Amino acid sequence: MANFSNQMRLSSTILRRLHQRVAAAVNSSSSRNFTTTEGHRPTIVHKRSLDILHDPWFNKGTAFSFTERDRLHIRGLLPPNVMSFEQQIARFMADLKRLEVQARDGPSDPYVLAKWRILNRLHDRNETLYYKVLMENIEEYAPIVYTPTVGLVCQKYSGLFRRPRGMYFSAEDRGEMMSMVYNWPADQVDMIVVTDGSRILGLGDLGVQGIGIAIGKLDLYVAAAGINPQRVLPVMIDVGTDNENLLKDPLYLGLQEHRLDGEKYIEVIDEFMEAVFTRWPHVIVQFEDFQSKWAFKLLQRYRNNYRMFNDDVQGTAGVAIAGLLGAVRAQGRPMIDFPKMKIVVAGAGSAGIGVLNAARKTMARMLGNTEVAFESARSQFWVVDAKGLITEARENVDPDARPFARKIKEIERQGLSEGATLAEVVREVKPDVLLGLSACGGLFSKEVLEALKHSTSTRPAIFPMSNPTRNAECTPEEAFSVLGENIIFASGSPFKDVDLGNGHVGHCNQANNMFLFPGIGLGTLLSGSRIVSDGMLQAAAECLAAYMTEEEVLKGIIYPSISRIRDITKEVAAAVVKEAIEEDLAEGYREMDSRELRKLDEAQISEFVENNMWSPDYPTLVYKKD
């Protein structure tokens, strides 16, 4: 009876989220009105003349009105034609089309990197216009500022570096970080994305050049979640690199020494965390692209004391859970069938283990949330790494992967053994889902895909989630050509839909973390939650799973289009705020204290979130002597 009760509770939660937008629309006419705190109030500045034109936070370029030009002593420093936002964007876009090819530094400088260079120049001189362009062209430019192009940017960052952005804390700064943090000019920081560069996407150790990923993530926090760009901070913690090419490169910008390890490494991260939370007690820190060795340890070390989360472990897991629940829906099955799904996972790094843990918890919750349910859920996963199928017979199994090692008796009944190949496992298990988090491009070979033909599912799901594009375990063309149209396909990097002929389309979903992490961050910020709890993360994943309509899901569309990123982020953030309130973690945000938050219904929470999302509009600037 308890199992049935839990199943129904989770199922009703998903159904409630499916209808949440409709209910919000119906109730909006009677909901309370909130004045946006990110509105059009004048902004006080303490600089004038060329200083204001050289400050990307406040520069408007040719959009400065004549009264502002007089107030700020810039009349005569700009051409006399005052241009509108629309005219500025049109000028930039025309310039972009003309310069895309000419901006290349040479034949090895690809087209996408040329686009990144031009966008970065705009970012350097006028942040408001930059985010306006990014938001209005998010489908085209998200892959440029984020995956997959950001991987290429990180690889070349020492050569691309022109103007500083973000902060760098290094092993050489031990003992000084508490004072260094005050060198950042913003008195308020809402969001920090930090990396140590040790595992950038699937590209390995890129050292200090990994700051490109922190910058790219924060671009999406601004564009998708409406975090004010003056209150975000990308951070690189440089503890050295084990990349021999960078250690020998005379142009490398980071410390040219091998990585710190053990307690010395922990001491650096501890000092950084203490410093940023001392200056900005309410900041949220997102850990990004730390190698598996440290990802889980640091998450467990800090998550109960600081407002932080690890996107690779928790964000990837949430997006995968949303996709897995979407796959159940797409197969025409009730949501409570999720614990019956057989899932083969290729990859046992931080992302793979994060997905496994989250999926197991979700299954266990649907089965009654008991120890028996938790153990039962374990049996639904087969994990394959570079050495093959992980079993209890293997020596020196990674502690994080050990709970998913298959029992010998179990696999012997299936005709498998320790170290069995991925193709062998897929052939014998006949899984409902093949999930790739291996960072090994092409791993889902024709042999593996052929083996998936024997799946017991009427519509198997294939998730090659590794980034960047070259690391995807397979392409959609490969999957649809071998398995036909009756599959669910979702990749980490963007791919175009596949024309299957006769008017049929193979839909290529993007299982990208960008659908979750901006909403998780925004919801945590606006709730004032002391921590980022498992419940808040689960609420975000369930919201994403429920976002697609039944008609879309049955067509094989289980993730939204990037063009809808602002809307999905608002809904995810609202779900996170609601869960934080229910868990009694919410402490409020600005004038909305915890008591006021508890009075809001779902429509009002959604309105509260929307009204606190920054939009790229030029504020009126008023000069005041410092």
Side-chain angles (χ1 to χ4, degrees), residues 101-119:
V101 175
Q102 296 178 21
R104 302 185 190 191
D105 280 355
S108 64
D109 195 4
Y111 178 68
V112 290
L113 194 55
K115 277 190 175 183
W116 181 88
R117 288 174 183 275
I118 299 165
L119 285 166

Side-chain angles (χ1 to χ4, degrees), residues 494-563:
F495 286 100
K496 292 182 179 179
D497 289 345
V498 177
D499 183 356
L500 302 175
N502 299 320
H504 292 228
V505 175
H507 291 287
C508 301
N509 297 279
Q510 189 178 2
N512 199 302
N513 291 21
M514 76 171 73
F515 291 126
L516 276 193
F517 71 77
I520 293 169
L522 178 62
T524 303
L525 174 70
L526 297 183
S527 70
S529 175
R530 301 181 294 276
I531 60 170
V532 183
S533 71
D534 286 339
M536 291 159 67
L537 295 164
Q538 184 73 24
E542 289 180 5
C543 177
L544 178 58
Y547 186 79
M548 309 307 296
T549 66
E550 202 66 25
E551 182 182 4
E552 289 171 321
V553 167
L554 292 176
K555 289 179 180 177
I557 305 172
I558 59 173
Y559 289 108
S561 163
I562 292 175
S563 63

Side-chain angles (χ1 to χ4, degrees), residues 128-148:
T128 307
L129 182 58
Y130 170 76
Y131 286 113
K132 187 79 168 180
V133 169
L134 178 59
M135 288 170 60
E136 291 189 358
N137 302 273
I138 191 69
E139 278 192 283
E140 180 179 0
Y141 293 150
I144 302 299
V145 303
Y146 184 48
T147 55

